[in-house]
Amino acid sequence: MSIDPRYPQPQAPDPRARATRNRAIAIGLSAAVVAGLVAFGSYLLLENSEANEKSDEASAAQDGKHPGGHGDSHGDASNGAIEGLKSWDAAKLGRNHVAGSVDYPMKPPVGGDHNQSWMNCDGDVYEKALPDVNAVHSLEHGAVWVTYNDKAADTDVAALAERVKKTPFTLMSPYAGQEGAIMLSAWGKQVAVDSADDKRVDQFFAQYVQGTQTPEPGAPCTGGLATVPR
């Protein structure tokens, strides 16, 4: 078969051009896949954000019924004034170590000179009355002291004992000479409460267990006296 030189003959496809075209197609497809994944991820984030907002709104509505976020709470315990709270000027409460007894102006005491040995206050519940001078040293370390007299209901005493056992930097003991049936004391702070489920128990624990009133932050509640001295 003769070839007419006047007419150009078809050329074989250039393999380099084909490879370039294939790479362009692959890049285009990859870009489309990435864009799709980004769009899908954005959609999921938006959906999660809206779900979280609805959940927060529902929680806020529930908190309106039970302030504090759960049914047995009585408000934001870490903030707010505690009704009936008594305070003393911490600067006027002595902090010297003494060997004998101290005549405290309040019962139970909320601070002042005290014995060099503290009562263990790592959730310790004592069945006998404690020496004031040892318990006050525990308050200096940031402990909350729960006390009760014979007017307190047995159910309240039992409930408070269980709570103290679960709360480091707290201690509990009977105290016959106190005014209220149940009293909570910290360094320079004290309140009488009506029962174990009184909202002020939550507030007092939240604010004063190792609270800002603590004269010796970081001091331990172990390594002291584990039993009532004779």
Side-chain angles (χ1 to χ4, degrees), residues 64-75:
K65 299 177 182 178
H66 302 294
H70 47 84
D72 59 354
S73 184
H74 300 270

Side-chain angles (χ1 to χ4, degrees), residues 44-229:
L44 289 180
L45 288 174
L46 181 59
E47 287 292 304
N48 288 337
S49 177
E50 291 177 353
N52 289 335
E53 288 178 2
K54 291 180 180 178
S55 177
D56 291 341
E57 290 173 359
S59 297
Q62 183 67 17
D63 290 350
K65 299 177 182 178
H66 302 294
H70 47 84
D72 59 354
S73 184
H74 300 270
D76 186 357
S78 62
N79 295 302
I82 300 175
E83 182 181 355
L85 179 70
K86 295 180 180 180
S87 298
W88 286 262
D89 186 352
K92 296 181 180 179
L93 296 174
R95 293 179 54 199
N96 298 313
H97 288 176
V98 296
S101 61
V102 175
D103 184 17
Y104 296 104
M106 73 292 289
K107 298 290 183 181
V110 298
D113 295 343
H114 48 269
N115 191 275
Q116 66 178 356
S117 299
W118 60 90
M119 297 302 305
N120 282 347
C121 43
D122 192 31
D124 292 88
V125 176
Y126 300 91
E127 295 183 358
K128 296 181 179 180
L130 305 178
D132 286 348
V133 289
N134 300 108
V136 167
H137 196 160
S138 301
L139 303 186
E140 188 181 39
H141 289 193
V144 163
W145 184 15
V146 179
T147 54
Y148 59 95
N149 60 23
D150 57 5
K151 296 180 182 178
D154 292 341
T155 53
D156 288 329
V157 173
L160 288 168
E162 287 304 310
R163 176 160 191 168
V164 166
K165 290 176 182 178
K166 299 175 183 178
T167 310
F169 283 85
T170 64
L171 70 164
M172 180 175 175
S173 70
Y175 201 101
Q178 68 183 30
E179 181 179 355
I182 301 170
M183 299 187 72
L184 312 177
S185 303
W187 188 270
K189 305 291 181 180
Q190 190 173 80
V191 68
V193 299
D194 298 326
S195 62
D197 60 359
D198 190 314
K199 70 177 182 180
R200 292 172 293 179
V201 177
D202 285 344
Q203 290 178 303
F204 200 92
F205 272 52
Q207 295 184 32
Y208 299 125
V209 172
Q210 290 188 292
T212 57
Q213 86 291 342
T214 303
E216 292 185 1
C221 250
T222 56
L225 300 176
T227 58
V228 179

